[in-house]
Amino acid sequence: MSPKITTELLKQLRQVMKNPKFVQEPVQAYIVPSGDAHQSEYIAPCDCRRAFISGFDGSAGTAIVTEQQAAMWTDGRYFLQAAQQMDNNWTLMKMGLKDTPTQEDWLVSVLPEGSKVGVDPFIIPADQWKRMSKALRSAGHDLVPIQENLIDTIWADCPQRPCKPLITLDLSYTGVSWRDKIVALRSKMAERKVMWFVVTALDEVAWLFNLRGSDVEYNPVFFAYAVIGMNTIRLFIDGDRMMDPAVREHLQLDSTLEPEFKIQVMPYGSILSELQAVGAGLSPKEKVWLSDKASYALTEAVPKAYRYLTPYTPICIAKAVKNTSETEGMRRAHIKDAVALCELFNWLEKEVPKGTITEIIAADKAEEFRSQQKDFVELSFATISSTGPNGAIIHYKPVPETNRTLSVNEIYLLDSGAQYKDGTTDVTRTMHFGTPSAYEKECFTYVLKGHIAVSAAIFPNGTKGHLLDSFARSSLWDCGLDYLHGTGHGVGSFLNVHEGPCGISYKTFADEPLEAGMIVSDEPGYYEDGSFGIRIENVVLVIPAETKYNFKNRGSLTFEPLTLVPIQTKMIDVNLLTQKECNWVNDYHQKCREVVGAELERQGRHEALQWLIRETEPLVRVQ
Amino acid sequence: MSPKITTELLKQLRQVMKNPKFVQEPVQAYIVPSGDAHQSEYIAPCDCRRAFISGFDGSAGTAIVTEQQAAMWTDGRYFLQAAQQMDNNWTLMKMGLKDTPTQEDWLVSVLPEGSKVGVDPFIIPADQWKRMSKALRSAGHDLVPIQENLIDTIWADCPQRPCKPLITLDLSYTGVSWRDKIVALRSKMAERKVMWFVVTALDEVAWLFNLRGSDVEYNPVFFAYAVIGMNTIRLFIDGDRMMDPAVREHLQLDSTLEPEFKIQVMPYGSILSELQAVGAGLSPKEKVWLSDKASYALTEAVPKAYRYLTPYTPICIAKAVKNTSETEGMRRAHIKDAVALCELFNWLEKEVPKGTITEIIAADKAEEFRSQQKDFVELSFATISSTGPNGAIIHYKPVPETNRTLSVNEIYLLDSGAQYKDGTTDVTRTMHFGTPSAYEKECFTYVLKGHIAVSAAIFPNGTKGHLLDSFARSSLWDCGLDYLHGTGHGVGSFLNVHEGPCGISYKTFADEPLEAGMIVSDEPGYYEDGSFGIRIENVVLVIPAETKYNFKNRGSLTFEPLTLVPIQTKMIDVNLLTQKECNWVNDYHQKCREVVGAELERQGRHEALQWLIRETEPLVRVQ
């Protein structure tokens, strides 16, 4: 990997930082965050501005360019990659290390007195603006919004913002019509006494209107905003997508509707002026509900006294609780996904010993098998196909420079998933195609025990996911082992593979209580730098649990695995399992065999079926 | 319990709320919080102002008196008690219920436009002032500090502020001299670049100077503040306590000392003016370190730009990590405490069947046995001696109206502890003096499994206690049971029985990571309203754990029980225990027998020794 040469680009950026065409007053520093205007985790190429200016294209990082310097903040996952991708114009700021200054502290230390620091107000979330602005102000500087993005002004071949056709989802997929979702949203608004709700996250717009898109890779979303009033619906979206008859019918754009369900379609770029108009017309007590992560630009459009900010929007919370149509769809999607993986693993078992299968070939083959399944749309994230030491790199993605050949001597870790029209999958299996060592089996078994501890946990209604995180680690901890990532994340229903507001993590975050219908991943791991990685991941559905007693009538919950892919028994040291854990594995494999076996049979995939039957032989524990 | 008649008192309070002798302008409301000027959990009688004005003497509650109304906010533990103790002048505001307004919202709803709300600035913590003041201001009212406490002006027979003699602790108890503690504190101050540190919590003053007092029941502390500079030490304390030659020598008040260790003794009441003088003399970059829970009065004495506020002070954190002298002292104290409880339980076993032992008699007897032990000072909290349904009241304390007779038909729960000069104890045992039902045994065994799960847990260095809380609940959760309190709290070393900054709780609070030398309680429970309560509590010491591997060289921790009192095996359903849990109980009992047995022997307490031997017979699990 050779670094991007940025000397000329930085020179151009520093010129526009002083150019009155773009800035009212010259700015002495310009901040280039990672995100887009919707605070998306995955972004479109046209939004990869930080990668364009610096060369560093990891998923997290903030660039700051001053008149003399250029600095990049990123976290431990990306220290190496950033150092390789950036030239000498850039200073790498290693976040999490003790001596690394915060962006604010660094700015204060390098800026001349009374400086102006510019940032695109659409890209910076309001809460970050507030913190940065306060720190700069107390040191005599000013954070100023620059309406035109300065990177865009120097980005000659900047890709167009995608504007791809939409997919309409009918009731059989969504279970609830967009009209009913609007009714439910308005009732939440009434409860909180707010008159307007601004939808800024792309997956929230998609969910609300039962539409999907493909503007962003892996995430079936489209660029849009919405502003929902008690009697109005405004959808801000570009292109001729609203000309599509299927979309017009789905949204009933040409029907005679009660006025409160009439959708006004407006240009994507007009959100700010429309919201400002809404803001200007507010009478006392007419609050506007926004996510506290919405952009500074949109937040500022509403006068402070009228803002109602929450960490999670009512859509985010409603979206997390899947209805029967959605869970049934998720079940179907996971069966199809399991069929593809049975085919893949059967194929790998035969091909790996030949020494011709690389990580990239394996990943491509996984995609090929998935794409044969009904309603396959695309992958849900970049496949992590990693063998040997690459498996220890938690966010690894094989590229030609790192591409390693699978062998019978190394552990292989595959973390992959897909978007189907009926659901989103995300599964990790760790395999050995030869004979694993006793130590590898031992570590795998601890990870498995942690996986089971979460999956089989019974807990009271209203429990927050972070309270389950230690269950996943306990067996590893007993031997002095651990893994440095959370245990689970929310999963969307044919939507983003990572979604809020629930999860399972030791990191204290404001997760909402788990409730029946929520879907999360269960993915403990163990990683040994330079040698191997182990992770066992199922997507699991929160379901009611039957218990002997029922304290305070609260009811209990547990998980049902949606993922139905065998866990390689060759990797298990059965004697480290309790009888209960052993039964869990056998019951799980029995279900895989029955449910996925039937589908393999139906699809005539006999060889994969034989593989499934072999891989789901019951474990026997020696007492 | 008949309510306190407060009509006349409220009339008087409403008069002084308008009396220019006490208030610059009349206040339309006056807030009476629970606490004292040091944000203590336990307070002296002279600080029980809220109880005086309302009659309600629970440990938590805030009274607000307006010209027309009087309202009391308290939590679920005290709804019944508050309702019984207060007369019709008072409205009970049940915190935690959905429709209960916050204090701010209630004030805004009842106050006439542009009102002033008064509060004693010494009693209200700065963070609470900030929140309350902001809410009132945004509704057009003002929160104003009233220097003279208005309750004190009408409290004719207000008790004197206690001013009892001090106890000096030598190195054999404390392990570190006060001089070395000052040196360590100054080094923490230098690290954070602060020039002054204000000690406001009573246990922090006591710890820093290796002094103890008895101004507050159960807490061996004394009323004082300290202000530590890089070259000065000021101790604010009243009375002739500094005339005591032992104290003078301990603090080296009459020695020729390096100036930076010379303690200037000043009147308790002069803290504000002295701190204001310090604040006025600050040059830029001379920060003053305060707890963010310090009073508004003291926080305001330091100009905002010079304040350095943290949730936990360096003393709080240093105090939590016990040194070898302290842990050895704690071990000794717990052995003595176990001797007293063996005597008690042996005595109860004989006396209870006679039907003459009440909860109060049992509690008194426990105190009597403890007071026979060397270096006994006082109890560490009010003994919770509860039988049958009283056991389900988590913060129960027997009073004549509720006093119940122990019997062979009901579970007895005793949560008690003492202050010895070498350590603080806090232990709960749940006993049955007849034959427990299968259901009682089942519940007890789940609680025991939770207790063991925490006590035997192995976890990485740096783990926060809240990550262990679910281990204590898992066995209860499996059967649909739970308990509605945290699992553990920090315990002081001959200091407060509840101390920060660590603990084990599902409530997300900013607990500091556990480290070797910290001492916490492990006390899961199960409570069935109207019938019984179960709790099993040991005080445990965080110690390094030996593990097979050592991920990232972080090291592991576990707990060593300091409490060595048998857990009644009669209450255990052995078949619900795993072999590992069974071994834990047997090992624990073996240690009780050896360590406490030797001390019983030494003290010639032969009958109690026989009881101990009977109660520590190994459990046998039927496979």
Side-chain angles (χ1 to χ4, degrees), chain B residues 42 47 67 108 112 204 211 248 270 285 309 359 402 456 458 474 484 521 534 550 595 597 604 622-623:
Chain B
Y42 292 77
D47 287 317
E67 288 163 314
V108 168
E204 297 191 12
L211 291 171
R248 296 196 73 79
S270 69
K285 300 209 166 179
L309 305 180
E359 294 166 339
T402 62
I458 294 174
S474 178
L484 301 181
S521 68
I534 292 166
N550 188 5
V595 176
V622 185
Q623 284 289 347

Side-chain angles (χ1 to χ4, degrees), chain A residues 439 442-443 446 456-460 463-464 466-471 473-474 477-484 505-508 526-529 546-552 554 556 580, chain B residues 439 442-443 446 456-460 463-464 466-471 473-474 477-484 505-508 526-529 546-552 554 556 580:
Chain A
Y439 178 61
E442 183 186 359
C443 294
Y446 296 144
I458 294 174
F459 48 91
T463 300
K464 293 184 169 195
H466 70 258
L467 292 171
L468 308 179
D469 183 75
S470 299
F471 291 155
R473 298 175 200 274
S474 178
W477 283 357
D478 279 345
C479 294
L481 303 181
D482 197 6
Y483 54 96
L484 301 181
S505 178
Y506 61 97
K507 293 165 200 156
T508 310
Y526 175 68
Y527 310 91
E528 202 143 298
D529 285 347
E546 292 296 321
T547 53
K548 189 169 177 187
Y549 306 112
N550 188 6
F551 180 64
K552 300 264 178 202
R554 284 191 300 178
S556 292
K580 218 172 138 187
Chain B
Y439 178 61
E442 183 186 359
C443 295
Y446 296 144
I458 294 174
F459 48 91
T463 300
K464 293 183 170 194
H466 70 257
L467 293 171
L468 308 180
D469 183 75
S470 299
F471 291 155
R473 297 176 201 274
S474 178
W477 282 357
D478 279 346
C479 293
L481 303 181
D482 197 6
Y483 54 97
L484 301 181
S505 178
Y506 61 97
K507 293 166 199 155
T508 309
Y526 176 68
Y527 311 91
E528 203 143 298
D529 284 347
E546 292 295 323
T547 53
K548 189 169 177 187
Y549 306 112
N550 188 5
F551 180 63
K552 302 263 178 204
R554 284 191 300 178
S556 292
K580 219 171 135 189

Side-chain angles (χ1 to χ4, degrees), chain B residues 28-251:
Chain B
Q28 285 70 45
Y30 188 66
I31 305 176
V32 188
S34 273
D36 66 10
H38 305 270
Q39 286 65 58
S40 307
E41 183 189 5
Y42 292 77
I43 57 178
C46 61
D47 287 317
C48 297
R49 300 180 179 99
R50 183 252 303 150
F52 167 75
I53 190 68
S54 70
F56 167 54
D57 66 1
S59 73
T62 299
I64 303 185
V65 177
T66 68
E67 288 163 314
Q68 307 292 336
Q69 302 190 56
M72 174 70 68
W73 280 257
T74 190
D75 61 63
R77 289 174 293 169
Y78 292 117
F79 292 166
L80 193 64
Q81 180 181 336
Q84 286 172 337
Q85 293 183 322
M86 300 192 305
D87 69 9
N88 289 333
N89 290 299
W90 291 85
T91 307
L92 179 57
M93 297 292 188
K94 297 180 174 181
M95 288 164 69
L97 299 197
K98 214 182 143 208
D99 296 331
T100 304
T102 63
Q103 294 163 26
E104 296 90 321
D105 286 349
W106 182 78
L107 277 169
V108 168
S109 73
V110 303
L111 286 178
E113 228 169 279
S115 287
K116 308 244 176 263
V117 178
V119 68
D120 181 340
F122 271 95
I123 305 299
I124 188 168
D127 54 350
Q128 275 181 39
W129 170 285
K130 198 173 163 185
R131 200 176 57 241
M132 174 70 82
S133 173
K134 194 176 163 189
L136 290 176
R137 201 172 331 112
S138 80
H141 308 295
D142 261 328
L143 186 63
V144 293
I146 310 291
Q147 294 308 323
E148 183 142 9
N149 191 293
L150 297 186
I151 301 296
D152 294 357
T153 66
I154 60 167
W155 194 349
D157 53 351
C158 174
Q160 283 282 310
R161 181 162 300 281
C163 196
K164 306 228 182 104
L166 302 182
I167 303 172
T168 62
L169 290 182
D170 65 33
L171 272 181
S172 69
Y173 292 105
T174 66
V176 180
S177 68
W178 63 262
R179 276 182 63 137
D180 287 346
K181 288 181 178 179
I182 295 273
V183 170
L185 173 61
R186 284 182 177 146
S187 120
K188 288 278 169 203
M189 290 161 62
E191 254 175 41
R192 308 287 186 106
K193 301 194 176 96
V194 302
M195 299 297 286
W196 300 90
F197 179 78
V198 186
V199 197
T200 54
L202 298 184
D203 62 337
E204 297 191 12
V205 180
W207 179 86
L208 182 60
F209 292 103
N210 292 335
L211 291 171
R212 297 294 186 269
S214 53
D215 289 355
V216 179
E217 197 179 10
Y218 307 127
N219 292 176
V221 297
F222 52 92
F223 285 102
Y225 291 102
V227 176
I228 313 300
M230 293 310 275
N231 300 300
T232 57
I233 303 171
R234 296 177 205 178
L235 177 60
F236 300 82
I237 184 166
D238 271 351
D240 49 10
R241 305 192 270 200
M242 290 294 129
M243 293 299 103
D244 179 340
V247 173
R248 296 196 73 79
E249 200 193 319
H250 174 82
L251 296 179

Side-chain angles (χ1 to χ4, degrees), chain A residues 5 60 166 172 205 225 235 281 287 425 469 473 489 500 513 519 582:
Chain A
I5 304 306
L166 302 182
S172 70
V205 180
Y225 292 102
L235 177 60
K287 294 255 182 191
T425 66
D469 183 75
R473 298 175 200 274
H489 53 81
I519 293 179
C582 195

Side-chain angles (χ1 to χ4, degrees), chain A residues 496-507:
Chain A
N496 297 355
V497 73
H498 296 161
E499 67 169 28
C502 54
I504 301 174
S505 178
Y506 61 97
K507 293 165 200 156

Side-chain angles (χ1 to χ4, degrees), chain A residues 24 64 120 151 161 164 310 352 365 380 399 455 495 533 574 579 589:
Chain A
Q24 283 189 309
I64 303 185
D120 181 340
I151 301 297
R161 182 162 300 280
K164 306 227 181 105
T310 55
V352 166
K365 197 72 184 178
S380 57
V399 289
S455 196
L495 258 180
V574 186
Q579 190 57 52
H589 278 161

